[in-house]
Amino acid sequence: MSMDEFIGNQKAIHIFENLSLYFHGLGDPIRQQIIALLIDKESMNVTEITELIPMSRPNVSHHLKVLRQAGLLKVQKKGTQMFYSLEFDEVIALMKQLVHFVEEECQC
């Protein structure tokens, strides 16, 4: 392995490490459904999400927590309710880095 290949591999590993939390957040079908719902809405509260996903409120809340911890959702409190919306700027930028890296480096 040449030094250039080693450096390229390290860069790929670094990008994947930065994306791993996002991949974990997106890795569950229920969380994917929640993301799909929020793509169409500016924001939703847990009650609105629970009405559209056939799960208990505690289970939906758990998935929302995982998505928040993954940095994919932001939360805004309005009165006594919490409203969830997508926070995709960083993950999109990292995905673009990954695609660019693969396009430049991959000899597929």
Side-chain angles (χ1 to χ4, degrees):
M1 175 183 291
S2 72
M3 183 56 95
D4 287 340
E5 289 172 325
F6 176 78
I7 291 170
N9 286 341
Q10 292 300 328
K11 184 174 179 180
I13 290 168
H14 179 71
I15 294 169
F16 279 118
E17 285 172 349
N18 287 332
L19 283 167
S20 66
L21 192 58
Y22 298 115
F23 287 146
H24 172 73
L26 294 170
D28 183 273
I30 297 300
R31 293 194 287 273
Q32 294 166 11
Q33 288 179 26
I34 292 170
I35 294 293
L37 286 173
L38 290 170
I39 287 171
D40 292 333
K41 305 280 186 183
E42 184 175 321
S43 67
M44 297 176 78
N45 65 28
V46 69
T47 302
E48 294 168 327
I49 295 168
T50 303
E51 289 172 358
L52 299 171
I53 294 180
M55 294 191 96
S56 69
R57 184 181 174 106
N59 282 338
V60 170
S61 292
H62 166 74
H63 287 289
L64 290 168
K65 179 181 176 182
V66 172
L67 289 167
R68 274 192 350 261
Q69 289 173 337
L72 295 165
L73 293 183
K74 57 185 171 186
V75 183
Q76 182 179 10
K77 188 172 184 174
K78 295 179 184 175
T80 60
Q81 297 186 39
M82 305 295 273
F83 284 83
Y84 299 87
S85 58
L86 297 177
E87 180 69 53
F88 267 37
D89 294 341
E90 187 174 333
V91 71
I92 288 171
L94 287 168
M95 289 284 200
K96 285 180 180 179
Q97 282 181 17
L98 179 61
V99 168
H100 178 73
F101 176 79
V102 170
E103 287 175 342
E104 294 292 319
E105 299 295 327
C106 186
Q107 297 175 15
C108 307

